[in-house]
Amino acid sequence: MGRSRFFIPTIFAILGIAIAILAIYQVTIRQTAVDFIPFIEGTLYADIIFVLSAAIPIIALEYFIIAIPLAVLFLIGNSFIKAAAYETNIMKIGESFSGIRMIRRAAAPALFSVSTAGILSGFFEGLLVGSPGTPDYLFGLSSTLMASLVIMPIALALFMPTWILNDAGIVNHLREGQLDVRQCPHTEGVGRWYSSMLGGYSILAFPIAMFVRHFWQPFIIGSAPLDLNSILISLIWTVGIPMLIMAFIVPVILLNEIAGRKAGGFVQGFVKRIGADVVVRSQISRVAIEKPSQDEKSEG
């Protein structure tokens, strides 16, 4: 796998982070600094940039300290739940993972972050009240963006172990005795089992959270003018905020591509110690259906 596959994700991350910082700048540059970072002088924008700058090495450290132990815990929990019908083994999987797939991998944790941001968005919106010369609806949009960035490390702590498990090829498959039962053969990655549950929450909660934050609160409950321009901006940001959060997540995915092989090797070693084997992907072949002969047709 060549390094050229990192080009598109890197450009995506740089552009997204730059746009996010510019959006925050427009709303916070006139705000005075708040007390929770007393040693930073200047505007609220300076406080936020400091936090974002500190978050980058913290999230990288989170990958090395939290992701691998959580991957092992996820594996143990999954094995306990599915032990009756499933075996846990290591499957030989492909090596290819393009830049587009790296960006797509960032979508689920980004949606999780945005969907959960309502917990903190009210706090940030309170900090932004009173900024002169900025339309009211931008306060809600910016507060959602900043709250999503705060929730993002929590989302990554949940999703990073699933990346390690998926890339290591750790799978559940039905035990041999279960194949005699009237049910389809089933093989599923352990990491995918967890990410499907987390992603399901994100997909269901995202449209509800965005409607409440960007349409119901500002236009129905609040005093924001219900005009075409405001609605279009809210629609654009409803799609745009997850894209911007994805830009902050992509560097962590790039880190996983660089360091993930060692992390995956550690998890594979642990699975082997608890009795796992290496298995190959099952081949799906078409069954030839014998056509009845002319004599059989005439007899029928």
Side-chain angles (χ1 to χ4, degrees):
M1 294 182 291
R3 294 183 179 179
S4 59
R5 65 196 179 101
F6 295 138
F7 178 74
I8 294 177
T10 301
I11 297 300
F12 177 87
I14 292 172
L15 289 177
I17 292 172
I19 293 171
I21 291 175
L22 178 61
I24 294 172
Y25 172 85
Q26 291 179 332
V27 178
T28 61
I29 190 60
R30 295 183 179 91
Q31 292 286 317
T32 56
V34 290
D35 293 336
F36 58 80
I37 312 182
F39 56 87
I40 300 294
E41 296 182 358
T43 64
L44 176 61
Y45 175 73
D47 288 351
I48 293 171
I49 293 301
F50 173 80
V51 172
L52 290 179
S53 301
I56 295 174
I58 290 173
I59 291 174
L61 193 63
E62 179 184 24
Y63 177 86
F64 292 106
I65 294 178
I66 296 178
I68 296 176
L70 278 181
V72 173
L73 288 177
F74 280 13
L75 177 61
I76 294 172
N78 174 268
S79 299
F80 178 78
I81 293 170
K82 294 195 168 188
Y86 287 83
E87 291 183 26
T88 301
N89 285 312
I90 304 167
M91 179 172 286
K92 290 290 187 180
I93 58 176
E95 295 289 333
S96 178
F97 202 78
S98 67
I100 298 299
R101 286 186 175 274
M102 295 180 204
I103 295 174
R104 286 170 54 188
R105 175 171 273 185
L111 290 176
F112 183 96
S113 301
V114 178
S115 301
T116 314
I119 299 171
L120 295 175
S121 57
F123 167 75
F124 284 99
E125 192 168 359
L127 293 179
L128 301 175
V129 171
S131 180
T134 304
D136 290 341
Y137 59 83
L138 283 183
F139 294 136
L141 296 173
S142 298
S143 66
T144 302
L145 174 60
M146 288 184 280
S148 300
L149 289 171
V150 172
I151 295 293
M152 183 182 68
I154 300 173
L156 286 173
L158 295 173
F159 278 93
M160 286 189 297
T162 70
W163 302 343
I164 294 174
L165 291 169
N166 284 332
D167 295 342
I170 311 300
V171 299
N172 294 133
H173 59 87
L174 285 171
R175 295 183 181 277
E176 188 173 349
Q178 294 292 323
L179 298 177
D180 297 330
V181 181
R182 188 187 299 155
Q183 61 179 330
C184 295
H186 183 241
T187 300
E188 183 180 31
V190 173
R192 182 174 292 277
W193 186 71
Y194 282 102
S195 60
S196 294
M197 290 190 293
L198 295 169
Y201 155 77
S202 304
I203 292 172
L204 289 175
F206 173 72
I208 298 173
M210 291 299 97
F211 174 76
V212 171
R213 288 294 302 161
H214 298 163
F215 294 95
W216 180 263
Q217 290 182 352
F219 300 124
I220 307 301
I221 298 178
S223 58
L226 186 60
D227 53 50
L228 181 61
N229 183 56
S230 300
I231 292 175
L232 284 176
I233 291 177
S234 291
L235 285 172
I236 291 171
W237 276 81
T238 296
V239 178
I241 289 178
M243 298 289 287
L244 297 180
I245 302 302
M246 286 171 63
F248 283 87
I249 294 173
V250 163
V252 186
I253 295 174
L254 296 177
L255 175 63
N256 179 67
E257 288 299 305
I258 296 171
R261 189 176 295 274
K262 289 185 178 180
F266 177 85
V267 173
Q268 287 179 344
F270 175 81
V271 178
K272 289 178 180 178
R273 284 194 293 273
I274 61 175
D277 296 318
V278 178
V279 297
V280 296
R281 287 177 290 184
S282 58
Q283 298 294 326
I284 298 177
S285 304
R286 293 185 182 276
V287 177
I289 300 176
E290 295 184 2
K291 295 183 179 179
S293 63
Q294 193 65 32
D295 294 337
E296 291 174 334
K297 288 182 180 179
S298 60
E299 290 176 3

